[in-house]
Amino acid sequence: EEERILRRGYIQELNVRMDWHLSAAEILSLADDFTDNIQRYGFFDDVKPWLERWKRSYSLGVLSDAMPSILEFLKQYGIYHLFDALVISTQVGATKPDPRMYEAILTALDARPEDCLFVDDRIDNLEGATAIGMSAIQMARPAFLPANLWDGPLVRNFDELNGRIEA
């Protein structure tokens, strides 16, 4: 509910600043949609099978710059239970690449940085992970190509990622 209230205020402020002329009902509807609509998140079809496979051998964590609704979306998508730790920016009071984010996931996983592999599409987030001692790989799916490609390790799909993990 706190997220819903925050989103309503944000959309209301945009409505004023952008002179959109949205009605109160439209503002409420948009806020609800952002908070409750799982379709706003793009889960690739291969996410669940790979997570189920990796869960048998590794501890898995989510480190996300997201609102609390992401946790419900992960439950709705059927993958929440596959993670040993879930840390979102609103819990930490920071966003990646702030070191507090990486420290929070390490604490939640009870892991050392050198034992962790961080996967992300954004270079600044990858650099934040390596700065505290994690290994990092950029995910650059052709269907969702990041704006900039990293000069470090890069994969284009989970099969390639799995190959790097196993190596």
Side-chain angles (χ1 to χ4, degrees):
E1 282 310 306
E2 289 177 20
E3 177 180 344
R4 192 177 317 280
I5 292 166
L6 179 67
R7 288 191 185 277
R8 286 176 185 161
Y10 178 72
I11 294 168
Q12 176 60 42
E13 183 66 24
L14 283 175
N15 187 41
V16 170
R17 290 184 182 211
M18 303 298 289
D19 198 29
W20 286 342
H21 305 287
L22 297 174
S23 69
E26 289 170 319
I27 291 168
L28 293 176
S29 178
L30 279 171
D32 289 347
D33 187 60
F34 274 97
T35 307
D36 300 325
N37 184 357
I38 192 173
Q39 298 304 315
R40 290 201 170 271
Y41 280 89
F43 293 103
F44 289 99
D45 291 338
D46 59 348
V47 168
K48 188 174 183 179
W50 276 108
L51 291 175
E52 290 170 339
R53 179 177 174 179
W54 290 325
K55 178 67 178 160
R56 294 190 294 263
S57 302
Y58 307 106
S59 294
L60 302 175
V62 169
L63 181 64
S64 182
D65 293 337
M67 297 291 267
S69 58
I70 185 66
L71 301 175
E72 183 58 35
F73 294 150
L74 294 173
K75 290 175 188 173
Q76 289 177 29
Y77 191 66
I79 60 175
Y80 182 94
H81 70 284
L82 297 172
F83 297 102
D84 300 285
L86 297 110
V87 174
I88 57 174
S89 52
T90 53
Q91 295 167 328
V92 178
T95 58
K96 297 175 286 184
D98 188 306
R100 292 176 292 172
M101 288 291 287
Y102 306 98
E103 291 163 5
I105 194 67
L106 291 171
T107 299
L109 288 169
D110 193 24
R112 300 176 313 165
E114 59 270 20
D115 295 331
C116 294
L117 173 63
F118 179 79
V119 180
D120 202 298
D121 60 336
R122 293 180 47 122
I123 293 172
D124 55 339
N125 295 342
L126 297 162
E127 290 172 343
T130 60
I132 68 155
M134 291 179 168
S135 296
I137 294 179
Q138 185 178 35
M139 178 60 75
R141 288 180 180 260
F144 193 68
L145 202 59
N148 297 302
L149 296 180
W150 193 34
D151 61 358
L154 180 143
V155 296
R156 298 191 186 281
N157 55 55
F158 282 143
D159 191 51
E160 287 181 17
L161 178 58
N162 190 61
R164 293 281 185 123
I165 291 170
E166 289 180 354

